[in-house]
Amino acid sequence: QVQLVESGGGLVQTGGSLRLSCAASGSIRSIDFMGWYRQPPGKQRELVASITSDGSTNYADSVKDRFAISRDNAKNTVYLQINSLEPEDTDVYYCRVRARTSAQRMGIYWGQGTQVTVSS
């Protein structure tokens, strides 16, 4: 009942920037958590950045100085501004949302992912 649509990925050179977006739609009553994840080869899926309904943010140490997460509550959309991209940032970036539906059921929802590729 909740759909996530991600966009903004692409191919950029080292040092470039991208702005990812994730829009949630469907029978949403409220959203208390939105975050971005990636999964390097051979590793578990890891948190890149997250934001809660009150605006509190959290970042992985490796991206804290380069990435910025923001949220538009009215649009149920979360953004990730990625600056100073490095080849090691190459990955599929997934949006994760914790939301309560109109039926008052809490659930976790994942987007399909958007590819970020950084060339040297």
Side-chain angles (χ1 to χ4, degrees):
Q1 293 299 114
V2 177
Q3 297 81 41
L4 306 180
V5 178
E6 299 143 309
S7 62
L11 173 63
V12 298
Q13 294 183 338
T14 298
S17 298
L18 287 171
R19 182 176 173 84
L20 310 183
S21 64
C22 173
S25 63
S27 302
I28 300 172
R29 187 184 184 96
S30 62
I31 297 174
D32 63 6
F33 177 96
M34 305 184 81
W36 290 95
Y37 294 75
R38 64 189 183 189
Q39 187 171 5
K43 297 183 179 181
Q44 299 294 315
R45 188 170 294 183
E46 64 184 20
L47 175 70
V48 176
S50 65
I51 187 168
T52 58
S53 58
D54 65 354
S56 298
T57 59
N58 188 37
Y59 296 92
D61 289 342
S62 61
V63 308
K64 189 172 184 178
D65 294 333
R66 300 182 294 116
F67 291 16
I69 191 169
S70 61
R71 176 178 178 176
D72 186 333
N73 291 336
K75 298 181 179 180
N76 287 331
T77 300
V78 63
Y79 306 93
L80 186 66
Q81 179 68 42
I82 310 176
N83 299 321
S84 301
L85 279 161
E86 304 168 354
E88 52 264 40
D89 295 318
T90 295
D91 212 330
V92 177
Y93 286 69
Y94 299 91
C95 180
R96 177 183 181 268
V97 170
R98 185 171 66 209
R100 187 175 296 277
T101 68
S102 60
Q104 296 185 287
R105 297 187 181 93
M106 184 69 72
I108 301 297
Y109 303 90
W110 289 92
Q112 79 287 350
T114 184
Q115 176 71 49
V116 172
T117 303
V118 185
S119 63
S120 60

